[in-house]
Amino acid sequence: MENKTTETVSEYKIGHTTYLVKTTFNPAFRESLSDIVKRLIIRDCEDSPGESDQQSEKQAV
C-alpha cells in the first residue's frame, strides 16, 4: 500500500525577510491535525501559568 503525502508551501514576509514554509501531511497518520493542535494547546496551557495563578501570586505578595 502506498502512502501519499500532501505538501503545501506558504510564503511569509516579515520585514525584509521572506520565509518559505513547507507543510507535509500524511493521511495515513492516526492523529488528525485538529488532534495535534488541541494537544499542543493543552500542553502550552499546562506549561505556562494561567491568569488565575498570576492573580494568586500577586495577592500573596
Side-chain angles (χ1 to χ4, degrees), residues 33-43:
L33 181 58
S34 61
D35 292 335
I36 294 169
V37 171
K38 182 179 177 181
R39 177 173 42 83
L40 292 172
I41 291 171
I42 290 170
R43 184 185 301 162

Side-chain angles (χ1 to χ4, degrees), residues 4-24:
K4 292 187 178 185
T5 59
T6 304
E7 291 184 358
T8 303
V9 177
S10 301
E11 184 176 305
Y12 298 94
K13 292 184 180 183
I14 301 174
H16 296 290
T17 305
T18 302
Y19 298 92
L20 295 176
V21 179
K22 181 170 72 170
T23 305
T24 304

Side-chain angles (χ1 to χ4, degrees), residues 39-51:
R39 177 173 42 83
L40 292 172
I41 291 171
I42 290 170
R43 184 185 301 162
D44 188 51
C45 290
E46 290 172 348
D47 291 346
S48 62
E51 190 174 304

